Amino acid sequence: MAPHQPWLLLLLLASWPLPGSSETRYQPGDPVVLYVNKVGPYHNPQETYHYYQLPVCSPEKIQHKSLSLGEVLDGDRMAESMYQIRFRESVEKTVLCVKTLTLDQVERLRQAIEELYYFEFVVDDIPLRGFVGYMEESGFLPHSHKIGLWTHLDFHLEWNGDRIIYANVSVRDVKPHSLDDVRGPGPLSLTHTYSVRWSETASDRRGERRGRGDDGGFFPHTLEIHWLSIINSMVLVFLLVGFVVVILMRVLKNDLARYNLDEEASSSSSGDDFDQGDNGWKIIHTDVFRFPPCRSLLCAVLGVGSQFLALGTGIIAMALLGMFNVHRHGAINSAAILLYALTCCISGYISSNFYRQVGGERWVWNIMLTTSLFSAPFFVTWSVVNSVHWANGSTQALPATTILLLLTVWLLVGFPLTVIGGIFGKNRAGPFDAPCRTKNIAREIPPQPWYKATLVHMTIGGFLPFSAISVELYYIFATVWGREQYTLYGILFFVFAILLSVGACISIALTYFQLSGEDYRWWWRSVLSAGSTGVFIFLYSVFYYSRRSNMSGAVQTVEFFGYSLLTGYVFFLMLGTVSFFASLKFIRYIYVNLKMD
């Protein structure tokens, strides 16, 4: 299989255009191809259908554009339109076609307009969006309900030199054709027209062209408030982290001084006499490094969590380097798939290495568990979502060729790299670095107060990291489940660093409180404490769906909650890994500095 892997990576990279590759140069009079893409309910961005599924003007033979992997995953299905546009040549009210509609087709259009269907065209990689028709409701008694179809579109394009800088579609000065009085057995004949207006602009920066789109994105209007909210969160987080660190260090300093003084004072007595007193976390030094149950599952969680840490860091780094500009469709999707396949070696290495350290013997089973820990839930979720899209004829349903490509990437790149990483991790694993000797018989754990229960620690450990990112979470949801593209990657970098820092600090604090109660079962507890942030993120997604969005329908609902559940699961793996390794480093630190016979 190894010889095929470079060709597969080249195929994947070929489907991901490089910066500037979509830039087209024109001469006056050159044809400018306008592609029709998709339509769908305005409030359900992921419920999209091919534009030509509506009874609109369409050529006799539909020519589809060759799309990249990221564009296909984004639900794009571009096809050439009948609009004749030439570079820098304006036209006024040109007939596109004369469309004859049956009563069933009129009813389909009326239903689409009532559901606020919008269309998306693409010209030179610039998206143009507008509503299919016009609906007006007014009054209660009497109630009026007017529906009209836009049969004329005005295209406004701006050019600088030999490039298109900006494009827009408008119906501002157009009257819709009423569909209210369409009755009788006869068909309805509609004449569709369009106009093209060109104007020169002084700007030559294509990166700015999306900022003046007719969507009126919320980012430019609220950027200052956005930054102030993030700065406020950062200040609160730094105060919290500083408070935890200072208090914890003072308590640890006193603990170490007291324990080490007691050790010197009782050096003539036996260690068993020592264990009879109430000595907090010192008394469990012979049990704190006792390996936990389900070691293989724990190591798999740490391996996959480390992989998503690397994946998230890589995506943000590529974004900061400007590799995801706003007019490259689906570039992040392609990058995420490529990075996921390449970082599978990290999950295999970390999982197998740590599994061998904690005395695991079934390393083949551990690798299989690691490679399926995320891929199996993802495949089940995707199968359900894709089946719903396929049953409803949505463009979000992946074609068979794309499914085969993604499956081949996993079989020939992702899975082999997991195995290779696991072999390297197993062979390079050393003994577990435990500063304390573990006894054969486990010590009895005293009854714990309610505030040291696992559920309480999960609530505290999950809510604090969630509160640090709650402001940014709204903007991320609004872009992922909307039509905007996220552009504030600098803010995202700070929020990501804050999230990891708070997760690590709160995990250390909770682990200390647990050990102080002479409870040495910290292994899984440390994963669950900060990992429970994923639960809060999923609960926020439920709140966002019901209170902050107007999404509805089976297609949108299944996709939203399916992928929101996966998102919470990914955050559980990622933050659980950070939490565990932070707690492990902390425990090793305090027991290394503890004087014992």
Side-chain angles (χ1 to χ4, degrees):
M1 289 191 294
H4 299 286
Q5 294 177 16
W7 293 103
L8 188 63
L9 290 177
L10 288 176
L11 177 62
L12 192 61
L13 287 171
S15 66
W16 181 28
L18 297 174
S21 62
S22 60
E23 193 170 308
T24 306
R25 306 281 180 169
Y26 298 94
Q27 296 297 323
D30 284 352
V32 177
V33 181
L34 186 144
Y35 294 99
V36 299
N37 192 11
K38 51 192 176 184
V39 295
Y42 180 77
H43 296 300
N44 292 351
Q46 274 63 45
E47 183 182 349
T48 56
Y49 307 95
H50 198 286
Y51 180 75
Y52 286 144
Q53 288 183 242
L54 287 178
V56 294
C57 296
S58 59
E60 294 182 2
K61 184 178 180 181
I62 299 176
Q63 299 286 341
H64 285 89
K65 180 186 178 184
S66 178
L67 300 177
S68 68
L69 175 62
E71 290 171 331
V72 174
L73 295 175
D74 213 26
D76 291 342
R77 302 294 185 269
M78 300 185 199
E80 294 182 6
S81 69
M82 298 177 62
Y83 296 97
Q84 301 294 322
I85 302 177
R86 294 190 175 275
F87 188 63
R88 294 170 55 176
E89 291 185 2
S90 300
V91 296
E92 291 292 337
K93 203 162 186 179
T94 301
V95 175
L96 180 66
C97 79
V98 177
K99 185 71 175 178
T100 301
L101 303 176
T102 64
L103 286 180
D104 290 340
Q105 291 175 326
V106 172
E107 187 59 32
R108 285 173 56 193
L109 283 174
R110 185 185 288 113
Q111 184 178 359
I113 295 171
E114 287 180 342
E115 294 180 7
L116 295 180
Y117 267 48
Y118 75 99
F119 63 83
E120 180 179 284
F121 297 163
V122 178
V123 56
D124 197 24
D125 285 338
I126 307 175
L128 294 79
R129 300 188 181 100
F131 286 101
V132 172
Y134 168 83
M135 183 178 67
E136 179 183 353
E137 290 186 282
S138 61
F140 180 69
L141 287 175
H143 175 69
S144 64
H145 185 79
K146 298 179 180 179
I147 294 178
L149 176 69
W150 300 116
T151 57
H152 178 85
L153 297 178
D154 286 323
F155 295 98
H156 176 214
L157 300 98
E158 296 181 6
W159 56 275
N160 181 282
D162 55 1
R163 297 183 303 162
I164 299 176
I165 303 299
Y166 171 75
N168 190 20
V169 61
S170 173
V171 291
R172 183 172 302 171
D173 302 323
V174 182
K175 290 186 65 176
H177 189 285
S178 177
L179 298 181
D180 294 322
D181 301 326
V182 180
R183 297 290 185 270
L188 173 65
S189 182
L190 297 176
T191 302
H192 291 266
T193 58
Y194 67 99
S195 300
V196 180
R197 296 182 178 90
W198 289 89
S199 60
E200 188 174 9
T201 178
S203 173
D204 62 349
R205 296 181 62 184
R206 290 167 59 91
E208 296 177 350
R209 61 187 184 173
R210 201 43 197 278
R212 292 181 291 156
D214 54 353
D215 278 344
F218 54 80
F219 288 125
H221 304 295
T222 60
L223 184 57
E224 184 176 353
I225 299 175
H226 195 177
W227 268 112
L228 289 175
S229 300
I230 296 302
I231 292 174
N232 182 54
S233 297
M234 291 175 63
V235 171
L236 293 177
V237 165
F238 287 148
L239 289 176
L240 172 66
V241 172
F243 178 78
V244 170
V245 170
V246 171
I247 297 300
L248 205 57
M249 291 305 294
R250 287 181 62 87
V251 172
L252 273 178
K253 184 178 180 181
N254 293 333
D255 284 352
L256 288 171
R258 176 167 57 89
Y259 290 158
N260 291 334
L261 183 62
D262 291 344
E263 177 74 20
E264 293 173 359
S266 57
S267 58
S268 58
S269 62
S270 65
D272 292 336
D273 294 337
F274 216 7
D275 289 343
Q276 302 303 317
D278 183 10
N279 290 299
W281 53 266
K282 180 180 180 179
I283 201 173
I284 59 172
H285 68 276
T286 57
D287 294 285
V288 71
F289 292 103
R290 185 178 305 279
F291 297 147
C294 304
R295 283 176 286 178
S296 184
L297 179 60
L298 175 65
C299 296
V301 169
L302 299 180
V304 179
S306 301
Q307 177 185 2
F308 278 107
L309 275 174
L311 176 61
T313 305
I315 290 291
I316 295 176
M318 295 171 69
L320 291 174
L321 293 175
M323 303 185 70
F324 305 137
N325 55 58
V326 294
H327 39 273
R328 287 178 52 213
H329 296 249
I332 292 184
N333 294 335
S334 300
I337 291 174
L338 180 63
L339 286 180
Y340 176 79
L342 295 178
T343 53
C344 283
C345 59
I346 297 177
S347 64
Y349 181 88
I350 297 295
S351 176
S352 184
N353 185 273
F354 198 76
Y355 183 65
R356 180 53 64 92
Q357 288 186 39
V358 297
E361 298 294 337
R362 302 173 60 190
W363 69 274
V364 175
W365 162 250
N366 174 251
I367 290 179
M368 297 302 296
L369 182 62
T370 302
T371 194
S372 60
L373 192 66
F374 173 76
S375 58
F378 174 80
F379 179 77
V380 172
T381 304
W382 170 83
S383 298
V384 174
V385 172
N386 198 70
S387 298
V388 173
H389 281 299
W390 176 79
N392 286 271
S394 172
T395 59
Q396 298 290 334
L398 296 184
T401 53
T402 304
I403 297 175
L404 289 176
L405 174 62
L406 295 178
L407 184 61
T408 305
V409 169
W410 187 80
L411 288 176
L412 298 186
V413 180
F415 180 71
L417 285 180
T418 305
V419 176
I420 293 173
I423 294 174
F424 274 94
K426 176 180 69 73
N427 294 335
R428 295 176 62 89
F432 186 76
D433 186 17
C436 304
R437 179 178 56 87
T438 301
K439 289 185 176 180
N440 293 330
I441 302 176
R443 183 185 183 87
E444 184 179 355
I445 300 174
Q448 300 294 311
W450 66 269
Y451 53 85
K452 290 187 178 181
T454 302
L455 187 60
V456 176
H457 279 202
M458 288 178 62
T459 304
I460 298 173
F463 178 75
L464 289 178
F466 169 77
S467 63
I469 65 171
S470 58
V471 173
E472 191 64 18
L473 208 57
Y474 167 76
Y475 293 94
I476 295 175
F477 268 69
T479 51
V480 172
W481 303 108
R483 277 159 295 276
E484 295 281 356
Q485 181 166 344
Y486 195 89
T487 56
L488 305 178
Y489 296 111
I491 292 180
L492 185 62
F493 171 76
F494 283 113
V495 172
F496 187 66
I498 288 173
L499 177 65
L500 300 184
S501 302
V502 173
C505 289
I506 197 64
S507 174
I508 290 174
L510 293 176
T511 300
Y512 173 78
F513 293 139
Q514 181 184 358
L515 298 182
S516 298
E518 301 178 16
D519 185 356
Y520 51 82
R521 299 168 300 181
W522 63 273
W523 298 76
W524 277 108
R525 179 80 67 87
S526 64
V527 173
L528 296 174
S529 59
S532 60
T533 306
V535 178
F536 284 90
I537 291 177
F538 178 75
L539 293 177
Y540 176 82
S541 70
V542 177
F543 168 78
Y544 180 86
Y545 181 88
S546 59
R547 298 296 183 182
R548 291 290 182 265
S549 73
N550 294 309
M551 293 183 283
S552 61
V555 176
Q556 183 70 27
T557 302
V558 169
E559 173 156 354
F560 180 87
F561 285 107
Y563 288 132
S564 294
L565 194 61
L566 271 182
T567 301
Y569 181 55
V570 167
F571 273 89
F572 166 77
L573 295 173
M574 186 169 60
L575 293 177
T577 299
V578 173
S579 174
F580 175 84
F581 283 117
S583 295
L584 177 61
K585 190 171 184 62
F586 167 74
I587 291 175
R588 279 176 172 165
Y589 169 79
I590 63 175
Y591 283 99
V592 162
N593 288 278
L594 186 65
K595 295 180 180 179
M596 291 173 293
D597 289 339

